[in-house]
Amino acid sequence: MVAGLPGTGIGGIFFLLSALLMPVVEFVRTLQGRSNLRRWRFVLRHSGIALGILGAMWATGWLLGQLLFALLRTRISATATAALHPHNVIQAPPLMLTLGVLLAVLLSVGIFRRLFAPRRVPSTA
Amino acid sequence: MTVHFSPNREGGFSSFSPGSLLEKPSGVSSAQRAGSTPGEREKGFFQEESARSHLTIIVPAYNEAGCIADTIRSLKTQTVQPDEVMIVDDFSSDGTGDIARSLGVTVLRPAANTGSKAGAQNFALAHVRTKFTMAIDGDTTLAPDAIEKLIAAMAEPGVAAACGFVLPRHVSTLWERGRYIEYMFAFSFYKPVQDYYTKPLISSGCFSIYDTRALKANSGWSQRTMAEDMDLTWSFYQAGHKVRFVPEALCYPIEPHNYAFMAKQLRRWSHGFVQNVMLHWRGILNVPYLRFLISVALWDSVVASIAYLVALPIIAIATRQPLWLLAYVIDLPTVLVPVLSRAIPRREGIKALASIPAFFVLRTVNALFLLEALWTEMVLKRRLAVYEKGH
């Protein structure tokens, strides 16, 4: 068991994307005749979990936005907050940043592979 | 399913399992074979051979007197019985070997403590003659059909190892609860996704089955790192083998119940992870998906750990906005959704919800040990080489 930090950083996004990609991969397998009902049940379950995670994150962000706005209104006058609206604390820019970091890490792996991976000797058999 | 026991020469037990997944049962007795034609005798011999599970279980045990009996009993009640169970009494001082012997299994005792779980397992591996080898920790019990489920994965061509779903046996202290959520999350979501892409990150050392030939070709479990299961799994991938995860095969190890034992285990795991990255990094660059898995895990080990332990508190203090500390729990849904998806069908929803706070504590402690391991191994170049048990 890896002593890691599940659910945090780019790891969480990586697994979410991996799970969301599964139906696409399985569809290709189906066209190739390499799938079955059991595999599709598995794929739908775990991509469903991924969608559930995304939905729950959005809902958490929305709820926190509501709570923060309510907190703000207790501290600042109603007039000052009249023009404000509660918003989801999970914003697009930080998410795009995380995605960008993930992409950078994955691209770096590709570069490392080109530079450092042991060369595979082709079989002469 | 009927299971037959018979004592073997070494005082252990071997059995025929008519319900073995590998072949159909025969029911041809020795007496019948003696009176039949050579062709019939040969057929009977192979039929009888095929009724076996072709499995040897190795249980490394150092001072496990408090739990080894539970482990052995859970093996004896399996729906698929092994050909042999070998307990490696790694020079215990608490009578572990005597307890195991009294339960009728083979007990091997090296001349001196081997120094690690890998050493103990390798001591037994030299005696294994079966097609499959299983390693189970001395503090781990199995669900009654765990071996049956796990051994089925070995039927797939190219599979060198398969692992099961791990859940803590006891879930009451803060540390056990944190570990419960960690496992529930990882084995409900991360590991199945890894398996879909045919790259489970680790075949867990507490409960895994191996193709004996592939295992021996790797010289067994290496003692060059603190995480021999990770080392073996990544070595298998580089050798072109497959590793599978079987979520239906359940095992229940005893997890650290207090900080002292948790710290020993986390220190070993963290250092083991870093040691394996340093050892295997070039080779795994050629392994699809695994190279991404490990690079992402390494990045998070560094960046997320620093964010958790340093950046967030500093930002909260500098801006005088304690709301920044919400970032510690903002990903609660990421953890809760997969955990509850597994916990609720097991009627453990309340237990899971009650254990969530402990998970966040354990996660923060994890970050500390990871940073220490990265700093010590990669920067100071000081290797952790002493293996300490986690309970």
Side-chain angles (χ1 to χ4, degrees), chain A residues 1-27 29 39 42-43 45-58 60-61 64 68 71 75 89-90 101-102 105-110 112-120, chain B residues 179 182-183 185-197 201-202 204-205 229-230 234 238 244 247 266 269-270 273 281-283 285-289 291-293 295-297 299-301 304-305 308 323 326 329-335 337-338 341-342 345 359 363-364 366-367 370:
Chain A
M1 184 67 204
V2 176
L5 299 170
T8 62
I10 61 171
I13 300 287
F14 176 79
F15 278 99
L16 279 175
L17 290 174
S18 292
L20 291 171
L21 206 56
M22 280 160 60
V24 177
V25 173
E26 199 61 26
F27 180 70
R29 285 182 65 100
R39 287 185 64 94
F42 175 91
V43 165
R45 175 187 163 85
H46 289 88
S47 50
I49 289 175
L51 287 172
I53 289 172
L54 287 173
M57 282 178 70
W58 183 90
T60 303
L64 279 174
L68 286 171
L71 195 68
R75 295 190 173 189
V89 299
I90 297 176
V101 169
L102 174 63
V105 169
L106 299 182
L107 283 172
S108 302
V109 171
F112 267 68
R113 187 177 165 222
R114 289 265 174 178
L115 295 174
F116 300 112
R119 292 281 172 261
R120 282 190 166 144
Chain B
R179 184 53 59 76
E182 264 191 355
Y183 283 172
F185 175 86
F187 288 95
S188 298
F189 185 50
Y190 276 12
K191 207 128 185 181
V193 172
Q194 293 167 8
D195 186 62
Y196 179 80
Y197 293 99
L201 188 62
I202 312 167
S204 310
D229 50 358
M230 185 182 288
W234 296 4
Q238 290 170 75
R244 300 310 306 269
L266 287 181
W269 285 2
S270 301
F273 172 65
W281 73 273
R282 288 192 71 188
L285 286 170
N286 277 330
V287 183
Y289 197 75
R291 53 181 172 242
F292 295 139
L293 266 179
S295 61
V296 163
W299 174 272
D300 275 351
S301 300
S305 299
Y308 253 57
L323 289 174
L326 277 175
V329 294
I330 196 85
D331 61 344
L332 177 64
T334 310
V335 179
V337 170
S341 74
R342 178 67 68 155
F359 165 75
R363 183 163 74 170
T364 308
N366 261 335
L370 268 170

